[in-house]
Amino acid sequence: MVVEVDVQNVDVLLNDETNEEILSQNLKMLFTTPLGSVPLDRDYGINMDVVDAPLPIARGRLIVEYEDKIRRFYPQLRIKEVTFTGNAHTGLLIPKVVITNADEFE
């Protein structure tokens, strides 16, 4: 299973069509929720302090955030690749996350 997540517009591509919609919704929610904004689970979400960092630092921090959150909330998954598109002059940063099963990762 390989999942591709464009954080601005989450698209999930799975071999298992049954879980495609559920996983897509869950990953989109995880990657777009600000950390601390869920009342009964303050650890859910991504630390949005990266928006104030220079782009190279923001990239590194986002990768660490994604890794930590996937390992915590979806231990059966692993991040295979994170790529970024955008514009350095305007500060636009669009991450794309490729996720796979933990057993396929090794």
Side-chain angles (χ1 to χ4, degrees), residues 7 17 53 57-58 87 102:
V7 178
E17 293 180 20
I57 294 171
N87 185 330

Side-chain angles (χ1 to χ4, degrees), residues 76-94:
Q76 75 277 18
L77 302 175
R78 290 291 179 269
I79 292 179
K80 183 176 182 180
E81 178 182 29
V82 179
T83 57
F84 296 92
T85 58
N87 185 330
H89 297 291
T90 62
L92 178 65
L93 185 65
I94 302 170

Side-chain angles (χ1 to χ4, degrees), residues 55-69:
L55 288 181
I57 294 171
R59 286 184 190 114
R61 288 182 182 169
L62 277 174
I63 291 170
V64 170
E65 279 287 310
Y66 295 152
E67 275 288 336
D68 289 345
K69 299 307 174 173

Side-chain angles (χ1 to χ4, degrees), residues 1-71:
M1 169 181 71
V2 174
V3 180
E4 292 188 10
V5 180
D6 179 340
V7 178
Q8 187 175 14
N9 181 16
V10 176
D11 292 321
V12 178
L13 306 172
L14 299 176
N15 293 334
D16 180 6
E17 293 180 20
T18 308
N19 292 322
E20 181 176 332
E21 187 175 330
I22 295 168
L23 189 55
S24 174
Q25 180 180 359
N26 291 346
L27 290 172
K28 181 176 182 179
M29 183 67 78
L30 176 62
F31 290 153
T32 59
T33 300
L35 184 66
S37 66
V38 178
L40 298 177
D41 193 356
R42 298 290 183 188
D43 290 332
Y44 188 85
I46 300 298
N47 185 345
M48 296 296 174
D49 289 343
V50 300
V51 299
D52 293 329
L55 288 181
I57 294 171
R59 286 184 190 114
R61 288 182 182 169
L62 277 174
I63 291 170
V64 170
E65 279 287 310
Y66 295 152
E67 275 288 336
D68 289 345
K69 299 307 174 173
I70 287 292
R71 286 183 188 267

